[in-house]
Every structure is written in structure tokens, then in C-alpha cells.
Amino acid sequence: MANLIDARTGAPRPRHPEKQGRPDTPVLRKPEWIRVKAPTSEGYSETRNIVKSKGLVTVCEEAGCPNIGECWDKKHATMMILGEFCTRACSFCNVATGKPKPGVDEDEPRRVAEAVAEMGLSHVVITSVDRDDLEDGGAMHFVNTINAIRAAAPATTIEILTPDFLRKDGWENRVIDAKPDVFNHNLETVPRLYLSIRPGARYFHSLRLLQKVKDRDPSQFTKSGLMVGLGETKEEIMQVMDDMRSAGVDFITIGQYLQPTRKHAAIDRFVPPDEFKAYEEIARAKGFLMVSASPLTRSSHHAGEDFERLRAAREAQLAARKA
């Protein structure tokens, strides 16, 4: 198990205290198609130095993303706001869990914006931990971060990957009204597996959040992602695709679940590349403007390039309707 130092006390604490009592789950050997090289490039080091100099947290590191070497070499980093500690305990996630410090870091939006400007990003992804302890679930911190980036780097397009704002009494509307270019919220898995994989969330609440974005601002692109390899069936995946399309979701990502530790949910199987290709074809047939489906696909992997394709696909669709 990985450990972090709790900055509030100076004492060691387990990264996932709620998982310590769980029995170990088996770890499957990764197939050749899922392996990546350790990051060593100069570009990776430069990105890491910028992130660290601003005192920022990235989901790339916290979630142990396999694409960190490729993305950071290109100076693409997904900023994680609202602290390091998540108030949820999803069995798939490697982000540290626990009780966050009260309140939020009011200076964080400025530092994020400075990093975006310094890296010269054309597209940035902002995500966060879940903050169920906050009245607004962190909604206004998202708004402040979006506004700070708009001021510091007005040409940068902004993608947000948000929590579900469960029981937060409409605060998500403030985030929608801040008009990010892409509003992403991941469903993560099929409804049948929510109790074991995403116990603090509710499938249909997450689906309604995505639909609310489209109802409130049809011009915003919406995006959602799924993991496979957790025991879901092909029929269940296709039903989730239909649910997403009913909610107006534009962009779907599908990637292989990778088990962070023996205390996390076990991998049921490694889905081969040809099955991902089949999912991509099915999703396109169902009407998604953009599909990214591969073993190493993650929500923010190639986000900038994918955003350009997404925008082009909408323009082509609108042109076809006028013809």
C-alpha cells in the first residue's frame, strides 16, 4: 500500500484508511497491450516542475494514470482542485480518502490559472475530489477556477470533470452557468455494480446531472466515461450508452479498469483491443459525436485533440442539417 503524510498532523496515515480491513483481492498480470514505459522525458520533468512550483495537485499522479509520461511530455496535465482528500471511498479509485481540511484554498484558482498560462495550454482539464463536507460541494471553487483561467489565458478552452453534487441543492447550476467548453461527469460503471464500485453515488442522479447541463445550456459539450473489466456485460454497456444518448451526452470514453492495490476492486478481466473497437463502432452508430475507446483511454487523455474533433463533428452535423 502507498502511504501519504498527513500535513495536518505530521503523522503517517494510510492513503485509504477505509480499505485497510478489506481482504486482499487478486492482481492479474497485465497483458502486453496495457503496458506503458516509465516517464523519463525532459518534457515530463518540465511539467512536473511547473505543477510542483505552483503547489498544485494533479489527478495524473493521485490516480496513478498510466498515460502520465505521454501527457506530461506534451505539457498536458489534469489539475485536481479542492485538496488531496476525497470524502468518498469508491473501490476503484486511488485518490486518497479521508477528512479534508475545512473550507477551500482560496488562492488555488489563481495558481491553476498561472500554471495554465505558463504551460501555454490550448485546452485544460480541471477535476476535483468529492467534497461532501462543503455546502456547495465545491461548485463555486470550480466557478472561480474557470473565471481565473479565462482571465489569465483567454484563448484556452476549458474542460471540467466534476463530482456529482449529490444533495447540493442546485449548486451545480452555478458551474453550468460559468460556461466551460466541456462539462464531463463520469458514470464510471453500469448500474448493477454501483453498490460495490461507486457506493457513495447514484447512477440516475449522475445521469440527470448530465441531462441538466444540456437542458440549461445546449451549446455546452457533455462528456462521460465508463470503465470496463469489472464484471459488466456487453448488454449493460450498450444500455448505458442508450441512457447517455437519452441525456444528450456528446462524447463517450471507454477504458480498461486498472486495479490500484490489492485492497481495491479486483479486475474481472482485461478487455482485448478488438472489443474496444467494437464498442467504438456501436457508440458511433448510437449517435455520439465523439468516441474514445481503447485499453488506455482515460477521461482526459488526448483531451485537447479530442475537443477539436468534437467541435468539428458538431459543425459538420449542423452543416448537414442545413443542407
Side-chain angles (χ1 to χ4, degrees):
M1 289 287 292
N3 287 294
L4 293 177
I5 299 300
D6 188 335
R8 294 168 295 177
T9 64
R13 71 181 297 280
R15 185 176 180 86
H16 304 289
E18 79 297 333
K19 296 182 175 72
Q20 295 301 296
R22 295 180 182 177
D24 286 355
T25 54
V27 177
L28 301 181
R29 179 178 174 81
K30 292 179 181 177
E32 289 297 328
W33 66 75
I34 207 78
R35 297 178 188 177
V36 294
K37 294 180 180 179
T40 57
S41 70
E42 183 178 343
Y44 168 86
S45 298
E46 290 176 0
T47 299
R48 189 175 189 277
N49 290 338
I50 292 172
V51 168
K52 297 304 178 185
S53 71
K54 303 297 181 184
L56 302 175
V57 179
T58 69
V59 76
C60 318
E61 295 173 292
E62 292 298 303
C65 180
N67 302 312
I68 188 170
E70 176 191 352
C71 292
W72 283 28
D73 181 53
K74 299 176 181 177
K75 293 190 176 180
H76 296 170
T78 300
M79 308 297 180
M80 192 171 77
I81 60 176
L82 291 167
E84 298 175 79
F85 296 106
C86 185
T87 55
R88 305 269 176 100
C90 298
S91 65
F92 68 87
C93 185
N94 199 38
V95 172
T97 58
K99 185 177 180 180
K101 295 179 180 179
V104 299
D105 179 354
E106 300 288 354
D107 189 51
E108 186 174 51
R110 178 191 63 80
R111 301 197 309 275
V112 169
E114 284 185 354
V116 170
E118 190 170 332
M119 286 191 278
L121 299 183
S122 59
H123 186 82
V124 64
V125 182
I126 306 297
T127 189
S128 78
V129 292
D130 275 285
R131 289 294 302 271
D132 296 309
D133 59 309
L134 299 175
E135 179 186 2
D136 67 350
M140 289 308 300
H141 206 63
F142 268 99
V143 172
N144 293 337
T145 303
I146 292 169
N147 291 340
I149 294 170
R150 294 272 191 239
T156 301
T157 50
I158 301 172
E159 179 172 331
I160 57 172
L161 173 55
T162 75
D164 57 14
F165 302 111
L166 185 62
R167 304 184 187 92
K168 295 306 174 186
D169 196 28
W171 277 101
E172 68 276 5
N173 292 332
R174 302 291 289 274
V175 183
I176 299 168
D177 293 346
K179 293 189 175 298
D181 296 280
V182 180
F183 194 114
N184 185 1
H185 174 66
N186 286 333
L187 295 183
E188 306 291 10
T189 189
V190 301
R192 176 175 57 85
L193 297 178
Y194 257 55
L195 188 60
S196 60
I197 301 302
R198 202 175 173 224
R202 300 293 180 268
Y203 177 79
F204 287 104
H205 173 83
S206 287
L207 199 62
R208 283 194 296 271
L209 172 61
L210 291 162
Q211 184 172 8
K212 182 178 288 187
V213 177
K214 278 297 185 187
D215 289 344
R216 196 171 180 89
D217 184 1
S219 68
Q220 278 185 45
F221 289 105
T222 49
K223 179 177 175 180
S224 191
L226 288 173
M227 300 174 291
V228 292
L230 284 162
E232 70 290 327
T233 67
K234 181 178 180 180
E235 291 73 20
E236 287 175 317
I237 291 290
M238 289 193 293
Q239 181 60 61
V240 173
M241 289 182 188
D242 287 340
D243 290 343
M244 286 186 185
R245 288 301 301 131
S246 294
V249 173
D250 298 301
F251 184 176
I252 182 173
T253 61
I254 307 174
Q256 172 71 51
Y257 166 63
L258 296 177
Q259 181 180 356
T261 73
R262 290 184 178 273
K263 299 297 183 181
H264 288 77
I267 295 174
D268 177 71
R269 72 185 183 105
F270 286 104
V271 177
D274 61 332
E275 287 192 36
F276 281 102
K277 183 64 177 176
Y279 281 136
E280 179 181 353
E281 292 173 356
I282 292 168
R284 291 192 184 280
K286 288 181 181 292
F288 288 95
L289 285 178
M290 183 71 196
V291 182
S292 180
S294 74
L296 290 174
T297 289
R298 295 297 182 268
S299 287
S300 54
H301 191 211
H302 297 156
E305 297 95 324
D306 286 346
F307 174 72
E308 291 303 323
R309 295 188 187 100
L310 182 64
R311 185 158 53 183
R314 175 182 281 177
E315 290 171 357
Q317 184 185 68
L318 293 173
R321 288 176 181 173
K322 292 178 180 177

